Amino acid sequence: FQDRVEAKYGKAKSQHSEYRHVGVDYKIAADGRKLTMKQTKFVEALSFVEIPKERKKQQEEDCTPEEQSQFRSSVGGSAWTAKTRPDKAGRTRELQCAFAKAQVKHLVQANTLVKELKATAEYGLHYYALPAGPFRIVVISDAAKGEAKASQKPVIGYFVLLMADGQILDGPANILDFLAKSSPRVSKSSLHSESIAAVTAVERAIRIAGFLE
């Protein structure tokens, strides 16, 4: 395979068991039964938005063009960590909803998110060899209004998990997919928002099941 790649694109570097690709560090255990994905170096390089002490008191004030630029840059960096940090994906998406007209409070929230990411920079995704099949796909979904209240399009999120059939939810499971995004549909109630998230998750799970068959 490497020979074919090099024949078309030139000299290529080959890495095995431990390597970095687009900011994500991959490590395969010696016995091949565990894969770890982290973005420690990328997270450590994230920067904070500069907010003077007096400016922090003006929470409801609109951002200046310079602050807006810093805000988008900060949140954009945090969004890239969603490749391995689903625990922060929802918060990041809520901040992205404020891109059009950010306020000082959003700058503070962006810095808080970066601070939390840096404090847990070693966190990531861990994939384990599961017991022998059969397997089942499990979905977990949620929805929140957050910064999307004005548009009435909630932020929805889900996990699609693979686990051994018959095991309980606190057993070994591998994440096949996860997402946090604004709903494509308007919702005026919590029940409707949760239903949209659940249906979106199940639709995705059905597609993935088809790929695995």
Side-chain angles (χ1 to χ4, degrees):
F1 174 76
Q2 185 173 349
D3 290 340
R4 293 199 301 271
V5 170
E6 291 184 343
K8 185 171 183 179
Y9 300 105
K11 187 66 177 176
K13 181 170 64 174
S14 177
Q15 296 175 300
H16 305 276
S17 72
E18 191 168 355
Y19 57 93
R20 180 177 299 163
H21 179 62
V22 293
V24 180
D25 291 313
Y26 297 81
K27 183 176 182 180
I28 302 173
D31 62 3
R33 297 183 61 81
K34 178 183 177 183
L35 167 66
T36 302
M37 297 169 57
K38 297 182 179 181
Q39 290 174 278
T40 304
K41 294 296 184 182
F42 181 84
V43 169
E44 290 174 344
L46 292 175
S47 58
F48 294 96
V49 178
E50 296 180 10
I51 316 174
K53 186 176 181 180
E54 290 301 313
R55 183 61 166 157
K56 288 183 180 179
K57 299 177 182 179
Q58 303 168 338
Q59 293 280 302
E60 301 299 323
E61 290 289 321
D62 291 341
C63 289
T64 65
E66 174 61 26
E67 290 171 336
Q68 184 83 10
S69 177
Q70 289 190 52
F71 172 68
R72 291 186 177 185
S73 177
S74 175
V75 177
S78 296
W80 190 250
T81 68
K83 289 182 173 294
T84 61
R85 295 298 302 272
D87 57 315
K88 301 301 182 186
R91 294 263 304 283
T92 302
R93 182 56 196 153
E94 286 195 354
L95 287 172
Q96 288 176 321
C97 290
F99 270 6
K101 195 174 183 181
Q103 296 178 317
V104 174
K105 64 181 180 182
H106 298 123
L107 302 181
V108 176
Q109 292 169 10
N111 279 350
T112 299
L113 178 57
V114 170
K115 183 178 179 180
E116 292 174 359
L117 284 166
K118 286 179 175 289
T120 56
E122 287 295 327
Y123 286 17
L125 295 179
H126 302 270
Y127 291 88
Y128 298 88
L130 296 175
F135 302 105
R136 65 171 169 166
I137 291 177
V138 176
V139 298
I140 301 172
S141 62
D142 198 7
K145 289 290 187 180
E147 294 296 331
K149 291 179 180 179
S151 67
Q152 295 188 324
K153 290 185 176 181
V155 173
I156 61 174
Y158 63 73
F159 285 98
V160 179
L161 309 174
L162 179 70
M163 58 178 59
D165 194 21
Q167 77 177 49
I168 57 178
L169 288 177
D170 63 351
N174 290 329
I175 298 176
L176 297 179
D177 192 23
F178 63 89
L179 180 71
K181 70 171 186 177
S182 296
S183 167
R185 306 180 184 90
V186 170
S187 174
K188 296 185 178 181
S189 71
S190 296
L191 176 60
H192 189 206
S193 298
E194 297 288 352
S195 298
I196 292 172
V199 169
T200 303
V202 171
E203 288 176 343
R204 182 58 178 162
I206 291 173
R207 294 193 190 97
I208 292 175
F211 297 150
L212 297 177
E213 285 184 347

